[in-house]
Amino acid sequence: MAQVAGEIQKRLRSLEDIRHLLRSIRAMSAIRWRRARLRLRSAQQYASAVDRQLALATTFPTALTRGAHRSGRDVSAIENTVGLIALTSDRGLCGTFNVGLVAHALDFVEREREKGNAVKVIALGAYGERFFQQADCELLYTQRFPLTRAVSFVEARDIVAKVKHSYETGAFNTLYLTYNQFVAFGRYQRVEVRLLPPDLHAVWCDVEESSDADCMPVPEDLVLGTPPQDLQDFLLWEHLAVQVYLALIESMVSEQGARLQTMDAAISNLDERVQQLQLQYHAIRQESITQEVLEVQSNTRGKHPYGTANP
């Protein structure tokens, strides 16, 4: 019985060490969640400004506004090729955050293959990289994001630069982005967004919805200091960079929120297990004490069978 009590004490000490680790992970996730949430607000403001400028620039008729944004590519060679950016995390311990996203991405791949389209995947995050390699998908580009480092807009620009090179060299003719969009703390939804060719109608709708009623209309005599097509091309890729950056931050916020919930559930389960072991330990200890008392009483009765000591 003493051996069993000792084993329970060892398990309790181990669980206490695990609780300390879980609380440390939770604290770090809470800090990263708050920081990413602040970056998301500033990124949304910049994205709104870029969209307004792009909507303004596209009032000039060019090849882009007529839906002929080809960049000199050979479209006939890639008309059945689709690109997909799948944004996952590098680490686990965040519930179904990664599992649900890669399942959605794999469903997208299967749907496009049924249509006769080839799919090339750009995996952002170590989890997605490992998954798509095992799923025998063609990986066009991969990149990891260490958990200890915040995502910067420079990285988003680098990603878009690689995407632009692949798009203009004929790697694919349509590009989609799938990620976990932040809704509220502990809540996110998987979304699928078309990045290329650009959906200018969606940009116009977003600008109209976010504009105030007192917003000034576009001047009829507006003069640009840059050729309209060059300005549109620059703003288009800037718009894509902002979209990727927003997706990276929203994914980070959603990931940290999911990790916080996972840590809370793990700590709660651990506390229940500790409580059960403590009750078991106290029951064993009480049984041991009772057994010792009975042994002492039995020995006393053996020495004095009549219950009284001899004078």
Side-chain angles (χ1 to χ4, degrees):
M1 190 173 296
Q3 184 178 1
V4 175
E7 290 294 331
I8 293 177
Q9 284 184 323
K10 289 181 181 179
R11 294 176 65 182
L12 287 172
R13 286 193 293 268
S14 299
L15 291 176
E16 186 62 31
D17 293 338
I18 295 174
R19 180 195 283 116
H20 179 72
L21 176 61
L22 293 176
R23 286 178 175 174
S24 299
I25 296 175
R26 188 192 183 284
M28 294 303 299
S29 296
I31 294 173
R32 295 189 181 106
W33 185 88
R34 286 192 293 269
R35 290 178 179 175
R37 190 72 180 89
L38 293 174
R39 288 197 300 271
L40 177 60
R41 293 173 184 171
S42 61
Q44 287 172 337
Q45 294 175 356
Y46 180 67
S48 179
V50 171
D51 287 349
R52 287 196 299 271
Q53 296 300 321
L54 179 59
L56 181 63
T58 52
T59 58
F60 292 85
T62 62
L64 175 63
T65 58
R66 290 192 296 269
H69 185 66
R70 302 302 185 189
S71 301
R73 304 176 305 144
D74 183 9
V75 182
S76 61
I78 55 170
E79 59 182 0
N80 293 325
T81 305
V82 178
L84 174 65
I85 300 178
L87 182 52
T88 61
S89 68
D90 276 354
R91 306 292 178 87
L93 299 177
C94 49
T96 60
F97 176 84
N98 289 311
V99 177
L101 184 77
V102 295
H104 178 78
L106 194 60
D107 180 67
F108 173 87
V109 172
E110 293 298 330
R111 282 188 278 113
E112 291 299 325
R113 287 177 176 174
E114 290 177 357
K115 297 177 183 177
N117 299 329
V119 180
K120 296 181 180 180
V121 178
I122 299 176
L124 303 181
Y127 188 97
E129 178 183 353
R130 293 190 299 268
F131 176 85
F132 290 112
Q133 285 177 345
Q134 296 175 358
D136 195 24
C137 294
E138 183 178 356
L139 287 174
L140 187 63
Y141 168 65
T142 63
Q143 181 168 333
R144 299 189 178 190
F145 301 100
L147 188 63
T148 57
R149 179 168 55 84
V151 178
S152 67
F153 192 63
V154 176
E155 287 178 313
R157 288 183 183 274
D158 292 340
I159 293 171
V160 171
K162 294 182 176 66
V163 168
K164 181 179 180 181
H165 175 73
S166 299
Y167 183 64
E168 293 181 344
T169 55
F172 48 80
N173 67 328
T174 308
L175 179 65
Y176 290 87
L177 168 66
T178 179
Y179 66 99
N180 289 314
Q181 185 182 52
F182 173 72
V183 177
F185 177 75
R187 293 180 54 200
Y188 54 86
Q189 60 183 2
R190 286 176 289 276
V191 296
E192 184 181 302
V193 182
R194 195 189 79 184
L195 296 181
L196 291 171
D199 189 356
L200 298 179
H201 178 71
V203 174
W204 268 101
C205 291
D206 292 340
V207 170
E208 290 178 356
E209 290 177 0
S210 60
S211 298
D212 298 331
D214 298 333
C215 183
M216 294 295 294
V218 179
E220 296 181 358
D221 57 347
L222 179 64
V223 177
L224 299 179
T226 304
Q229 189 164 352
D230 294 342
L231 180 60
Q232 291 172 2
D233 188 70
F234 168 78
L235 290 174
L236 168 65
W237 294 109
E238 188 71 5
H239 167 74
L240 261 64
V242 172
Q243 291 296 107
V244 172
Y245 183 56
L246 281 174
L248 291 173
I249 297 180
E250 291 201 52
S251 179
M252 174 66 73
V253 176
S254 302
E255 175 191 349
Q256 300 303 333
R259 186 169 285 110
L260 278 169
Q261 286 188 320
T262 302
M263 293 301 103
D264 287 339
I267 292 173
S268 177
N269 292 335
L270 186 142
D271 289 340
E272 292 180 2
R273 182 57 179 161
V274 167
Q275 186 177 7
Q276 293 175 359
L277 288 176
Q278 286 177 342
L279 291 174
Q280 186 178 356
Y281 172 77
H282 290 313
I284 292 176
R285 188 168 179 270
Q286 186 62 44
E287 185 178 353
S288 176
I289 293 173
T290 304
Q291 184 66 27
E292 290 178 1
V293 171
L294 292 176
E295 289 178 358
V296 170
Q297 185 179 9
S298 177
N299 292 335
T300 302
R301 288 181 178 179
K303 292 180 181 180
H304 308 288
Y306 297 104
T308 57
N310 293 327

